[in-house]
Amino acid sequence: MFTRTRRLRNSKLLREIVRNVRLSIDELIYPIFVEEGENIREEISSMPGQFRFSLDRLAPELDELKSLGIKTLLVFGIPKHKDPIGSEAYNPNGIVQQAVRFIKKNYPNFLVITDVCMCEYTSHGHCGILEGCDVQNDSTIKYIAQIAVSHVEAGADIVAPSDMMDGRILAIREALDEKGFINTPIMAYSVKYASNYYGPFRDAADSAPSFGDRKTYQMDYRSSKEYYREVEADIEEGADFIMVKPALAYLDVIKAVENISLPLVAYNVSGEYSMVKAAALNGWINEQGIVMENMYALKRAGVELIITYHAKDIATWVKNGEVTL
């Protein structure tokens, strides 16, 4: 007798009861871009369906997200002023700090995560303090810690440092604890590669480096070993979440670290999003089917939380009864 594995695929109901990978709207984190200025609701040309908002145009977007059941936001800021030390990043009245205060005052049920980095705020577009053309690690982490504190003072629930400087998790933890924020978690961009998938994000956040690249501090995708050290270091320094970024090209990495003792997060990044959108707009793929397949691939690999620009689409499909999670 040969094995008949198809028996368990024989009907939709049967497939539903035997599946063991599940997804919830509660596990999706939606990135939003908040820009300094007024009356701004500008679609990002390389990210169809994604917008930059000024604070005075943010409420309708938040209303829609709330109605769809999305509960967690990742906030990015785009300032008017940039300088070599990214001073707007830690300005108590900077755009992220204002956005956090606005959200927590008017939409207190959102869980607000803030991206902690300098690339959107520096005139050179790099993620830290320069000496010549080199990003200085140890001087940068002092600024990173200051940025994180300013976000939490504004009301952020979680801070997510994305700069990839060595020791920044410990620097943030110590700075937060010193200010009395001992219960504020850190979501570490622990495994962040120097990736070509970030192109559309750099359009969205005006964060492309003005020279060179970020390969001296973001990870080399040709290495299959260093991500262990990054994860171990961040856990030892006090991280509360571990993130892998990008997501889909790094399922092997996600799978390799899935058994860590902390929640595992994947960032389904802008390039991954935009490729799906572009193909869908050209009629080449079934967008809904591809998106859901990608989400379940991440869950199958071991992810617990997914940062994705598809979150609003997924929530809309569920609300309309087009998709069952």
Side-chain angles (χ1 to χ4, degrees):
M1 182 186 299
F2 58 84
T3 301
R4 293 188 182 272
T5 55
R6 288 180 55 188
R7 288 191 187 116
L8 298 182
R9 307 175 202 145
N10 200 35
S11 71
K12 182 178 180 181
L13 283 175
L14 188 54
R15 293 190 297 272
E16 286 292 322
I17 68 168
V18 300
R19 71 174 183 147
N20 64 341
V21 181
R22 301 192 178 273
L23 177 69
S24 166
I25 297 297
D26 290 346
E27 297 167 335
L28 303 180
I29 299 169
Y30 190 58
I32 58 171
F33 298 94
V34 185
E35 182 174 1
E36 195 172 1
E38 295 180 350
N39 198 30
I40 299 168
R41 183 183 182 273
E42 178 185 355
E43 187 168 24
I44 300 160
S45 60
S46 57
M47 297 180 69
Q50 299 299 308
F51 295 82
R52 287 159 49 149
F53 298 93
S54 53
L55 281 180
D56 59 334
R57 298 289 299 274
L58 189 57
E61 177 75 358
L62 297 175
D63 288 335
E64 183 179 8
L65 295 172
K66 181 180 176 181
S67 73
L68 291 171
I70 292 172
K71 299 177 181 178
T72 309
L73 308 174
L74 175 58
V75 179
F76 295 92
I78 301 102
K80 283 185 176 179
H81 171 74
K82 302 188 180 196
D83 59 35
I85 59 171
S87 59
E88 283 300 301
Y90 49 88
N91 179 353
N93 292 311
I95 184 58
V96 165
Q97 291 82 351
Q98 290 183 52
V100 170
R101 286 194 289 267
F102 176 84
I103 296 168
K104 298 307 289 187
K105 177 181 178 181
N106 297 288
Y107 300 86
N109 292 328
F110 278 118
L111 186 72
V112 177
I113 307 169
T114 56
D115 180 80
V116 176
C117 197
M118 301 184 74
C119 58
E120 298 107 306
Y121 304 91
T122 55
S123 50
H124 47 75
H126 278 282
C127 300
I129 304 301
L130 293 184
E131 184 175 302
C133 292
D134 295 324
V135 176
Q136 299 300 294
N137 190 96
D138 294 1
S139 55
T140 294
I141 62 175
K142 297 175 184 177
Y143 285 87
I144 293 297
Q146 188 176 351
I147 296 166
V149 168
S150 74
H151 288 183
V152 177
E153 287 177 335
D157 298 296
I158 301 172
V159 289
S162 61
D163 56 289
M164 287 300 289
M165 299 297 127
D166 294 334
R168 86 258 197 228
I169 303 302
L170 180 59
I172 293 170
R173 185 73 272 157
E174 290 178 343
L176 290 176
D177 290 355
E178 184 178 339
K179 291 289 186 176
F181 299 117
I182 60 173
N183 292 319
T184 300
I186 300 172
M187 181 179 286
Y189 285 67
S190 299
V191 183
K192 180 180 179 182
Y193 287 89
S195 173
N196 295 290
Y197 285 99
Y198 303 149
F201 174 89
R202 291 172 182 170
D203 294 338
D206 292 341
S207 62
S210 60
F211 67 89
D213 54 43
R214 296 175 177 146
K215 293 181 179 179
T216 63
Y217 44 102
Q218 294 178 3
M219 294 167 58
D220 188 340
Y221 56 76
R222 300 170 300 178
S223 173
S224 64
K225 293 184 178 181
E226 62 180 351
Y227 57 79
Y228 289 112
R229 296 183 65 197
E230 295 285 356
V231 170
E232 288 171 355
D234 285 355
I235 291 174
E236 288 175 2
E237 290 177 22
D240 300 283
F241 301 82
I242 297 297
M243 187 194 304
V244 176
K245 178 184 180 184
L248 298 174
Y250 298 91
L251 291 174
D252 61 317
V253 177
I254 292 169
K255 190 66 178 175
V257 301
E258 69 168 328
N259 291 323
I260 60 170
S261 58
L262 301 178
L264 183 58
V265 186
Y267 197 144
N268 179 213
V269 298
S270 60
E272 296 169 332
Y273 169 88
S274 294
M275 287 191 296
V276 171
K277 282 291 183 181
L281 288 169
N282 279 284
W284 296 337
I285 61 169
N286 174 345
E287 178 181 358
Q288 192 177 95
I290 291 287
V291 170
M292 298 313 299
E293 190 171 340
N294 287 343
M295 295 301 107
Y296 278 99
L298 293 170
K299 290 292 293 182
R300 194 175 62 247
V303 162
E304 288 152 290
L305 299 171
I306 304 171
I307 302 168
T308 179
Y309 303 96
H310 294 295
K312 188 160 73 167
D313 286 337
I314 295 169
T316 301
W317 299 333
V318 170
K319 184 177 183 179
N320 294 340
E322 300 171 50
V323 164
T324 302
L325 298 182

